[in-house]
């Protein structure tokens, strides 16, 4: 179970920023399903004091989810079949539309989203696009690239790594890296140590700070804007940097400890910016980021949304 993910969902729920559909991506054994169930428990726990983990594990709701017989928590899996079939998706859609039996938030977990038949995937699109109230869809996959782009672009990705961020960070600190650097590299390497050092070699910290400054401190040069809007991968990387930046600000605003922020090398700037933005503004920025990312997936020109993002991010 990935406690960071659960904490993140808790924060987002508390601020009313929960998205409707998520894609949990990570290798087999990285705790995707366990975490999805923990999120379902956290969202529906009836205890007044659920404790650190966000759910008590003992109330009727937690017990039912634990036993797999909660009427509003549904797991869709292919079992021994090669793919998730359209009939399964039709059943899921029917249940999404139904009123909850007892849950505050119905949770639907769809395992191995990369095995959806095209027909099944198409049937699911509308449900991913038009959220119904009080329901959350969590799709899981070992390989993000194998999930159909139309599905991928409608979900917020949550990356699970074989190595949790904290563990990788601790490892890098033991290697002699400053904490601030390890914090950031551990985040953007998706838990992969080799990738973390590769990023370091390539000067990632300097690059990400330049992106943050361009968007939050001043005019982004025309040439840079053009570059970001024409190269999908660079654009996406910039967006994920800005997203983690905004999340750090949200965390600080919510009173989280300094050790939880990703951009630990910029703690002072983060603290200063936390007083600049309202929650509403940050929510708006995150929405623009998600929208822009979708546009990149659809091969659309993102120059204008990137400009808008700059306007939104420009700390007064
Ligand atoms: Zn409970």
């Amino acid at each position: 179970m990935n406690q960071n993910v659960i904490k993140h969902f808790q924060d987002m729920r508390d601020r009313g920023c929960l998205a409707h559909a998520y894609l949990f991506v990570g290798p087999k054994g990285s705790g995707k399903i366990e975490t999805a169930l923990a999120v379902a428990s956290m969202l529906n726990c009836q205890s007044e004091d659920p404790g650190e983990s966000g759910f008590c594990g003992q109330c009727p709701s937690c017990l039912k989810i634990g036993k797999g017989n909660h009427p509003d928590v549904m797991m869709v899996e292919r079992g021994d079949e090669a793919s998730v079939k359209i009939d399964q998706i039709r059943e899921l859609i029917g249940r999404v539309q139904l009123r909850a039996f007892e849950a505050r938030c119905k949770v639907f977990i769809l395992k191995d989203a990369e095995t959806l038949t095209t027909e099944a995937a198409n049937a699911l699109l509308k449900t991913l696009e038009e959220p119904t109230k009080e329901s959350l869809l969590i799709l899981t996959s070992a390989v993000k690239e194998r999930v159909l782009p139309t599905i991928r672009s409608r979900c917020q990705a949550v990356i699970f790594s074989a190595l949790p961020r904290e563990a990788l960070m601790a490892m890098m600190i033991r290697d002699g890296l400053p904490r601030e650097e390890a914090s950031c590299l551990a985040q953007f390497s998706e838990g992969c140590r080799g990738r973390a050092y590769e990023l370091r070699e390539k000067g990632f910290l300097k690059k990400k700070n330049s992106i943050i400054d361009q968007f939050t401190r001043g005019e982004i040069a025309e040439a840079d804007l053009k570059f970001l809007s024409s190269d999908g991968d660079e654009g996406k990387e910039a967006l994920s940097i800005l997203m983690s930046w905004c999340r750090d600000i949200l965390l600080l605003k919510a009173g989280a400890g300094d050790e939880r922020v990703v951009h630990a090398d910029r703690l002072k700037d983060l603290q200063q910016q936390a007083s600049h933005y309202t929650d509403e503004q940050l929510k708006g920025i995150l929405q623009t980021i998600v929208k822009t990312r979708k546009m990149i997936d659809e091969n659309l020109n993102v120059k204008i949304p990137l400009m808008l993002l700059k306007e939104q991010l420009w700390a007064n």
Side-chain angles (χ1 to χ4, degrees), residues 8 12 45 92 94 134 165 197 227 231 242 258 268 272:
H8 172 70
M12 290 297 125
C45 179
L92 181 150
E134 277 94 44
R165 177 170 169 258
Y197 281 100
F227 173 60
D231 186 318
L242 295 172
D258 298 348
K268 272 202 178 126
Q272 196 213 344

Side-chain angles (χ1 to χ4, degrees), residues 251-268:
L251 278 175
L252 289 179
K253 280 177 80 77
D258 298 348
E259 72 286 352
R260 301 244 328 261
V261 306
V262 167
H263 300 274
D265 58 329
R266 302 284 301 264
L267 193 57
K268 272 202 178 126

Side-chain angles (χ1 to χ4, degrees), residues 5 10 19 43 66 84 91 95 99 105 133 159 161 205 213 219 221 236 267-268 280 304:
V5 173
Q10 235 174 327
L43 293 174
V84 177
E91 194 196 337
R95 299 263 300 262
R99 186 185 278 237
C105 179
K133 251 183 119 195
I159 309 295
S161 49
L205 253 74
D213 290 339
E219 292 291 342
K236 274 194 232 175
L267 193 57
K268 272 202 178 126
E280 272 313 301
I304 291 168

Side-chain angles (χ1 to χ4, degrees), residues 12 15 17 19 23 44 55 57 99 103 107 110 121 131 158 179 201 210 214 219-220 258 268-269 293 303:
M12 290 297 125
R15 341 207 107 240
C17 297
L23 177 62
N44 291 299
F55 61 97
R99 186 185 278 237
V107 179
L110 198 166
V158 178
R179 201 186 164 279
E201 297 247 304
S210 147
Q214 280 181 322
E219 292 291 342
I220 175 165
D258 298 348
K268 272 202 178 126
D269 291 324
R293 215 139 113 173
K303 197 171 161 189

Side-chain angles (χ1 to χ4, degrees), residues 94-252:
R95 299 263 300 262
V96 169
Q97 287 162 348
L98 271 186
R99 186 185 278 237
F101 289 105
E102 53 191 76
R104 275 196 298 271
C105 179
K106 292 177 288 175
V107 179
F108 301 87
I109 302 167
L110 198 166
K111 258 170 113 169
D112 304 328
E114 73 277 10
T115 71
L116 279 166
T117 62
T118 313
E119 203 187 10
N122 286 339
L124 188 61
L125 292 184
K126 214 172 156 226
T127 306
L128 290 175
E129 228 161 39
E130 294 169 9
T132 53
K133 251 183 119 195
E134 277 94 44
S135 63
L136 177 74
L137 273 85
I138 300 177
L139 281 58
T140 76
S141 175
V143 191
K144 192 171 155 195
E145 286 67 32
R146 272 200 237 138
V147 179
L148 286 172
T150 45
I151 296 279
R152 233 159 51 199
S153 65
R154 286 166 175 81
C155 300
Q156 273 198 32
V158 178
I159 309 295
F160 284 66
S161 49
L163 209 55
R165 177 170 169 258
E166 277 68 28
L168 177 57
M169 204 172 131
M171 204 182 263
M172 296 182 87
I173 292 172
R174 276 202 301 276
D175 289 347
L177 246 67
R179 201 186 164 279
E180 300 78 29
E181 218 175 306
S183 160
C184 216
L185 293 171
Q187 171 77 16
F188 288 95
S189 59
E190 296 172 7
C192 168
R193 195 183 188 188
R195 170 108 180 102
Y197 281 100
E198 197 184 297
L199 285 175
R200 187 167 187 254
E201 297 247 304
K202 285 185 181 162
F204 177 77
L205 253 74
K206 207 174 151 199
K207 184 178 171 189
K208 69 100 185 157
N209 280 328
S210 147
I211 298 266
I212 292 166
D213 290 339
Q214 280 181 322
F215 276 86
T216 61
R217 283 194 178 165
E219 292 291 342
I220 175 165
E222 186 69 25
D224 290 327
L225 192 63
K226 234 183 181 166
F227 173 60
L228 288 182
S229 50
S230 63
D231 186 318
D233 289 338
E234 292 289 337
K236 274 194 232 175
E237 186 180 71
L239 290 174
S240 71
I241 290 166
L242 295 172
M243 186 175 254
S244 58
W245 180 256
C246 291
R247 284 190 179 144
D248 275 357
I249 298 176
L250 274 171
L251 278 175
L252 289 179

Side-chain angles (χ1 to χ4, degrees), residues 41-42 44-48 50 54-63:
S41 301
M42 185 270 289
N44 291 299
C45 179
Q46 295 158 338
S47 165
E48 283 183 12
F55 61 97
C56 72
Q58 282 155 17
C59 68
S61 171
C62 285
L63 286 175

